[in-house]
Amino acid sequence: MLKGRHLLDPRDLTIEETDNLLELAGDIFLQPEKYSKLCEGKILATLFYEPSTRTRLSFEAAMMRLGGKVIGFSEASSSSVSKGESIADTIRTISCYADIAVMRHPKEGAPKIASMYSSIPVVNAGDGSHQHPTQTLTDLMTIKSLKGSLSNLTVGFCGDLKFGRTVHSLIKSLSRYENNKIILISPEELRIPNYIRKEVLQKNNIEFIEVENIEEVIGSLDILYMTRVQKERFFNEEDYIRLKDSYILDREKMKKASENMIILHPLPRVNEISYEIDEDPRAAYFLQAKYGMYVRMALILKLLGVM
Ligand code: NCD
């Protein structure tokens, strides 16, 4: 039972719970009308202390499409945080008004703190460069629908592997399925954090390599997960400018990729995938954004104990 639980890290869900949730999301996608009234009378609160388009709006649309209502703020400056209120006090208050809360925050661990003071489920919608478990659910739903399985895949992660929280969460999740190989493609300065290398990849005996050149490995991938260089996490602008164009996926590079490889990206894209690639049948990032709403509908139903 997921009722009343928090989702802070993708591993807060067992593999079985994850698979059930994806199955439910698939059914909602096919027959949305069956679910359109299940959250009548319920309220979702979105507490966003950092910018967002897809995550916040897909959560809000998800709750509305289930018949529920939404309250919240989309920048810290419009809440009492700007007056110095703590996360603990904010969530204690929100717990009196809403049935479930979704929080995005620049500080790693902020949603976890919130969960300790909350009497309603708290969902981490991205905490600093740490985790982003609902993006992972979206990614998994896309992979499952296009590849038929979450196992036996060679997955390349390219770009900002240091600060990219979607990468950290998806690696955590994929490392629980059988026989997945991970190829980490990044400049030296943006390599994956040591805790992911040691405590996730090595600890679970996942086969992985780290390279700098995408052309060397693109031909061996089933999935290429592109990411944006996370400008907002850099300490100085010069480093960002130097690294921002490290990888630009274009037609030339795609010639080396297999016909069945799919391209994922959590979005927003800056320039790391050139627009000409959008026409390529292997580009799956807008499908990924679309599925985001359905997995979030499934998650809300489960955490509220409606299903
Ligand atoms: C991502 C995020 O916020 O971490 N966006 C998203 O939720 N789809 C990726 C990013 O900002 O680069």
Side-chain angles (χ1 to χ4, degrees), residues 229-241:
V229 176
Q230 307 278 300
K231 183 179 184 186
E232 65 276 32
R233 315 267 179 241
F234 279 72
F235 291 112
N236 73 64
E237 176 104 15
E238 268 164 46
D239 286 347
Y240 171 71
I241 290 169

Side-chain angles (χ1 to χ4, degrees), residues 206-271:
I206 306 300
E207 203 181 311
F208 74 98
I209 55 167
E210 298 187 73
V211 298
E212 282 196 45
N213 185 343
I214 185 171
E215 276 141 318
E216 248 171 56
V217 293
I218 195 168
S220 65
L221 304 178
D222 299 308
I223 295 163
L224 172 59
Y225 195 98
M226 292 296 294
T227 61
R228 165 181 80 87
V229 176
Q230 307 278 300
K231 183 179 184 186
E232 65 276 32
R233 315 267 179 241
F234 279 72
F235 291 112
N236 73 64
E237 176 104 15
E238 268 164 46
D239 286 347
Y240 171 71
I241 290 169
R242 187 166 47 81
L243 293 166
K244 74 182 175 49
D245 298 329
S246 298
Y247 302 99
I248 296 176
L249 189 65
D250 55 15
R251 279 207 190 109
E252 210 42 47
K253 292 197 182 83
M254 283 301 288
K255 279 187 191 155
K256 297 200 169 80
S258 123
E259 267 184 35
N260 301 318
M261 187 191 84
I262 58 167
I263 309 162
L264 300 181
H265 190 309
L267 303 178
R269 139 175 72 182
V270 182
N271 64 345

Side-chain angles (χ1 to χ4, degrees), residues 36-272:
S36 65
K37 295 198 166 86
L38 294 182
C39 284
E40 271 178 359
K42 303 280 187 200
I43 295 179
L44 171 113
T46 49
L47 320 178
F48 277 63
Y49 299 78
E50 251 194 2
S52 169
T53 300
R54 273 147 293 269
T55 307
R56 185 171 62 83
L57 297 181
S58 68
F59 258 115
E60 295 188 355
M63 189 49 155
M64 290 178 190
R65 285 179 187 275
L66 293 168
K69 293 203 161 69
V70 177
I71 56 171
F73 52 84
S74 53
E75 44 189 78
S77 61
S78 62
S79 76
S80 282
V81 180
S82 61
K83 301 180 188 166
E85 187 171 59
S86 68
I87 286 177
D89 288 0
T90 302
I91 196 74
R92 272 196 182 122
T93 309
I94 303 290
S95 294
C96 308
Y97 307 151
D99 301 286
I100 178 169
V102 179
M103 176 185 272
R104 169 169 289 188
H105 200 284
K107 284 211 183 96
E108 310 197 348
K112 186 173 172 75
I113 304 280
S115 73
M116 290 157 60
Y117 294 91
S118 177
S119 56
I120 59 175
V122 173
V123 178
N124 177 5
D127 61 328
S129 49
H130 189 216
Q131 299 294 324
H132 192 346
T134 67
Q135 179 64 43
T136 295
L137 293 171
T138 310
D139 302 341
L140 294 178
M141 183 172 176
T142 314
I143 296 171
K144 189 117 192 235
S145 82
L146 296 177
K147 290 286 173 196
S149 166
L150 297 172
S151 306
N152 304 310
L153 298 165
T154 301
V155 186
F157 289 89
C158 178
D160 188 346
L161 310 188
K162 179 177 182 185
F163 296 119
R165 55 196 175 197
T166 65
V167 170
H168 307 159
S169 284
L170 184 54
I171 291 179
K172 269 194 165 182
S173 207
L174 285 176
S175 67
R176 301 200 292 185
Y177 293 86
E178 304 244 307
N179 198 32
N180 287 325
K181 297 191 184 76
I182 305 286
I183 301 194
L184 302 164
I185 310 154
S186 74
E188 178 65 30
E189 291 101 316
L190 298 179
R191 283 172 67 186
I192 201 90
N194 218 13
Y195 83 92
I196 299 278
R197 192 179 297 110
K198 293 229 152 69
E199 284 158 39
V200 180
L201 293 167
Q202 289 172 354
K203 199 166 166 189
N204 292 292
N205 291 319
I206 306 300
E207 203 181 311
F208 74 98
I209 55 167
E210 298 187 73
V211 298
E212 282 196 45
N213 185 343
I214 185 171
E215 276 141 318
E216 248 171 56
V217 293
I218 195 168
S220 65
L221 304 178
D222 299 308
I223 295 163
L224 172 59
Y225 195 98
M226 292 296 294
T227 61
R228 165 181 80 87
V229 176
Q230 307 278 300
K231 183 179 184 186
E232 65 276 32
R233 315 267 179 241
F234 279 72
F235 291 112
N236 73 64
E237 176 104 15
E238 268 164 46
D239 286 347
Y240 171 71
I241 290 169
R242 187 166 47 81
L243 293 166
K244 74 182 175 49
D245 298 329
S246 298
Y247 302 99
I248 296 176
L249 189 65
D250 55 15
R251 279 207 190 109
E252 210 42 47
K253 292 197 182 83
M254 283 301 288
K255 279 187 191 155
K256 297 200 169 80
S258 123
E259 267 184 35
N260 301 318
M261 187 191 84
I262 58 167
I263 309 162
L264 300 181
H265 190 309
L267 303 178
R269 139 175 72 182
V270 182
N271 64 345
E272 56 283 350

